[in-house]
Amino acid sequence: QVQLVESGGGLVQPGGSLRLSCVGSGFSFGYLAISWFRQAPGKEREGVSCISATDGRAYYADSVKGRFTISRDDAKNTMYLQIDSLKPEDTAVYYCGTDRLSRCPPPRSGDLAYPRAYWGQGTQVTVSS
C-alpha cells in the first residue's frame, strides 16, 4: 500500500535551517507529483510546496517562496524540503503527500492546494528561541 514517511523535523531557533525528508513506498514514486503541506495548532492545513514528476517543476506558496526549496531523488524514492530563514510562524507539523497525479496543481492567488489522497504521519517543526 502507499506509504509516506517524513523525517528531519526538530526545534530550531529563528533564522535557522532544517532539511525534511519524505520516503515513499508502495507506488511508482518517480511518476507522481509529491507535495509538502503543514498544519499549525488550531489552523487549517496549508499547502507549502509541490514538485511535479514529468518535468521536476517546483511550486511554492507565497508564504514560503524564497526560503523553502523542494527537490526529489527518484532513485531513492525520496523528496526533500530545505527550509531556510525559519520564522516562528513556520512552526507546524509538516506532511508529505500525493494525489497520485503526475503534475502539481498551480498556485492560485499565492496559495497552493494540498493533497487529499495520501499523506504520512508528519514531522514536527518548532521554531523558537
Side-chain angles (χ1 to χ4, degrees), residues 8-122:
L11 173 63
V12 64
Q13 292 186 342
S17 298
L18 280 174
R19 190 193 195 202
L20 308 184
S21 298
C22 168
V23 179
S25 61
F27 63 100
S28 299
F29 188 92
Y31 289 91
L32 300 183
I34 312 291
S35 298
W36 286 99
F37 63 97
R38 64 187 181 185
Q39 188 166 25
K43 293 190 175 181
E44 301 276 329
R45 288 184 173 183
E46 176 189 17
V48 170
S49 184
C50 181
I51 186 164
S52 291
T54 50
D55 55 8
R57 185 171 178 179
Y59 299 83
Y60 300 94
D62 280 358
S63 59
V64 305
K65 201 174 291 183
R67 300 188 298 119
F68 289 21
T69 305
I70 193 171
S71 61
R72 61 191 298 161
D73 184 342
D74 292 338
K76 296 181 179 179
N77 281 8
T78 303
M79 179 181 67
Y80 305 97
L81 187 69
Q82 177 68 37
I83 310 176
D84 298 317
S85 303
L86 276 158
K87 305 175 181 180
E89 51 263 43
D90 293 320
T91 295
V93 178
Y94 283 71
Y95 302 87
C96 63
T98 181
D99 278 332
R100 303 197 78 167
L101 302 172
S102 62
R103 295 185 178 181
C104 297
R108 292 187 178 183
S109 301
D111 294 332
L112 197 61
Y114 59 87
R116 309 296 177 108
Y118 303 98
W119 59 90
Q121 83 290 345

